[in-house]
Amino acid sequence: MEKIKISQAVIVEGKYDKIKLENIIDAFILETNGFGIFKDKEKLSFIKKLADERGIIILTDSDHAGFMIRNHLTSAIPKEKITNVYIPDIMGKEKRKTVPSKEGKIGVEGMSKEILLEALNKANINCESIEKGEEVTNYDLFELGLSGTPNAKQNKKKLLKKLELPEFLSTSSLLSCINNMMTREEFLKMAKDGID
């Protein structure tokens, strides 16, 4: 499937927002875990690092909670490293929910592909349409002893250190990061040359 390539890291509130965007864009997408970002100093430090290295796009819901999270991030990161993307106020509820949110607004996860692309365009995000090359997969990580093997935890920790990534990254976030940082061939070569 053709996706829109975005070089900046995209910061969203939760996993359903991330899942929605992964179907539309090819970018490193990181969740704040909602208000969890207020207490997670390691994750905030990682977001600052991403902002410094490649810039970040903040794409939170248009409700009060979304703006609180956005304001927390913008107070901690230089403004020139941030691109704010805003979704419109659309009343309703997401399909997976039984009742609407407190304010009755649909969040990022409930927006259509067209609305999200329009929001990115309005923010002048440099989007190029690409055909994705072969990616690093869970099976590759398993084959390299980075997942599902006796020493996987230690090996993954060494890899995260080598890539200068925080140790809290889940395997799916690690895969996303690797696939946005390098090609599959570059990763396999790095792994064969030794992760130590």
Side-chain angles (χ1 to χ4, degrees):
M1 179 184 155
E2 199 172 276
K3 295 184 183 183
I4 303 301
K5 174 79 173 166
I6 296 176
S7 59
Q8 299 104 312
V10 181
I11 312 301
V12 296
E13 290 180 55
K15 70 177 181 179
Y16 293 104
D17 302 328
K18 182 178 177 182
I19 290 166
K20 178 70 174 205
L21 286 176
E22 284 174 336
N23 291 313
I24 300 168
I25 63 173
D26 175 21
F28 180 63
I29 305 167
L30 186 68
E31 312 155 36
T32 66
N33 295 322
F35 288 145
I37 194 63
F38 291 101
K39 294 180 182 172
D40 194 336
K41 290 182 178 18
E42 188 180 10
K43 186 170 279 191
L44 184 59
S45 175
F46 182 50
I47 292 171
K48 287 178 183 179
K49 182 176 185 274
L50 288 170
D52 190 51
E53 290 175 355
R54 60 168 79 185
I56 61 168
I57 294 168
I58 300 176
L59 179 55
T60 58
D61 294 351
S62 58
D63 60 6
H64 185 68
F67 273 89
M68 285 178 69
I69 293 164
R70 185 186 297 271
N71 291 338
H72 179 67
L73 293 172
T74 56
S75 69
I77 297 164
K79 293 190 181 352
E80 66 273 9
K81 301 287 186 179
I82 299 171
T83 302
N84 282 294
V85 173
Y86 300 97
I87 57 170
D89 286 338
I90 298 176
M91 305 311 279
K93 69 172 187 65
E94 284 82 5
K95 288 178 185 172
R96 71 176 178 88
K97 295 181 179 174
T98 53
V99 294
S101 68
K102 186 176 170 185
E103 294 173 40
K105 296 177 184 177
I106 296 175
V108 170
E109 71 170 279
M111 293 289 144
S112 69
K113 176 181 179 178
E114 294 73 26
I115 289 173
L116 289 169
L117 290 174
E118 178 63 25
L120 291 167
N121 283 330
K122 281 182 182 173
N124 291 320
I125 302 297
N126 185 15
C127 300
E128 58 180 277
S129 189
I130 59 146
E131 195 60 45
K132 193 85 168 136
E134 194 175 356
E135 294 189 332
V136 177
T137 64
N138 277 316
Y139 184 73
D140 293 320
L141 296 184
F142 173 76
E143 284 285 298
L144 293 165
L146 295 163
S147 173
T149 60
N151 294 325
K153 191 173 184 179
Q154 296 89 334
N155 293 339
K156 182 181 170 190
K157 196 171 185 176
K158 287 179 191 173
L159 174 65
L160 289 167
K161 190 173 180 84
K162 183 168 185 165
L163 294 174
E164 297 181 339
L165 296 171
E167 62 180 304
F168 73 80
L169 275 188
S170 67
T171 301
S172 65
S173 291
L174 172 61
L175 276 174
S176 176
C177 201
I178 290 168
N179 285 317
N180 278 285
M181 290 171 71
M182 61 187 83
T183 65
R184 183 171 187 271
E185 293 71 31
E186 289 168 337
F187 174 72
L188 294 176
K189 182 182 183 320
M190 182 197 78
K192 283 177 186 161
D193 290 345
I195 292 167
D196 298 322

